[in-house]
Amino acid sequence: MEQYGNIFEVRHNGLRPQKGSILISEPFLRGVHFQHAVVLLVEHNMHGSMGLVLNKRTELRVNDLFPELKSLPDIPVYLGGPVGANHLYFLHTLGGRVPGSMPIEGDLCFDGDFEVIKSYILDRNPVEGHVKFFLGYSGWTENQLNGEILGDSWLVSTPTAGRIMCDGGDALWKDAVRSLGSPYDTWTNYPVYPDMN
């Protein structure tokens, strides 16, 4: 049995975080924001890091926040993180068409002129796969994230744009873990709530 003693052992994979990286939480991390979380880093520099949890969909809809969008198909809101939870942020794949956006990679951008996004939606352009909304964000102070990675709370990976913009839920976390290769396969078998087994 000794050879099975470390099947859930967590070790960081040595990749360094940067803007556009994703963070994959280790399977034992707890809390509403980060349990089985996949986080896109929209900023990472010597002063700190900012990210959005991609796979924590809420019951809230963007349509509930803006009366002019009420009659349109449901647009979900995700829980981006514990910081600034009263502010709506967004990712989009519209590139330079949205003034004030911060480029992440290719056409994928963070925030920008919300009125342009609202017009895009009102013109009945596709939202799913192109615009994704978040309440709050995840933030780390200088060197905090690097410390958490060295402490094996997170693995760093590179995403695909399609994975970032999809709905996902817990399946997104499992897909992200599987993309890391066979050393992490056992993680996907670890239950979200082990005390209920």
Side-chain angles (χ1 to χ4, degrees), residues 3 6 23 29 33 43 50 61 78 82 100 109 134 138 145 186 193 196:
Q3 72 265 27
N6 295 326
L23 305 174
L29 202 60
H33 295 98
E43 189 63 81
M50 177 184 184
R61 304 173 315 142
Y78 293 79
C109 295
F134 304 85
S138 304
L145 178 57
T186 54
Y193 302 106
M196 296 182 73

Side-chain angles (χ1 to χ4, degrees), residues 157-192:
S157 185
T158 53
T160 61
R163 186 177 286 153
I164 289 170
M165 301 305 284
C166 77
D167 189 348
D170 199 52
L172 180 61
W173 179 82
K174 288 185 176 182
D175 287 346
V177 170
R178 287 188 191 104
S179 76
L180 297 170
S182 59
Y184 300 97
D185 284 349
T186 54
W187 281 21
T188 61
N189 297 319
Y190 189 81
V192 177

Side-chain angles (χ1 to χ4, degrees), residues 140-162:
W140 293 266
T141 57
E142 178 184 357
N143 291 323
Q144 182 184 2
L145 178 57
N146 289 331
E148 290 183 13
I149 291 169
L150 290 173
D152 298 318
S153 292
W154 302 99
L155 290 173
V156 180
S157 185
T158 53
T160 61

Side-chain angles (χ1 to χ4, degrees), residues 94-108:
L94 306 178
R97 290 187 279 168
V98 182
S101 296
M102 183 174 75
I104 297 174
E105 184 174 301
D107 283 337
L108 181 66

Side-chain angles (χ1 to χ4, degrees), residues 20-75:
S21 296
I22 59 169
L23 305 174
I24 304 165
S25 68
E26 53 92 352
F28 315 108
L29 202 60
R30 293 284 169 251
V32 66
H33 295 98
F34 299 127
Q35 185 176 32
H36 283 204
V38 179
V39 180
L40 173 71
L41 286 179
V42 297
E43 189 63 81
H44 179 74
N45 57 42
M46 62 186 291
H47 304 294
S49 307
M50 177 184 184
L52 297 167
V53 179
L54 298 173
N55 61 326
K56 303 288 180 176
R57 186 173 174 165
T58 71
E59 297 296 316
L60 190 63
R61 304 173 315 142
V62 176
N63 315 60
D64 300 324
L65 304 175
F66 301 95
E68 60 269 43
L69 303 178
K70 273 222 184 287
S71 63
L72 297 177
D74 287 356
I75 304 169

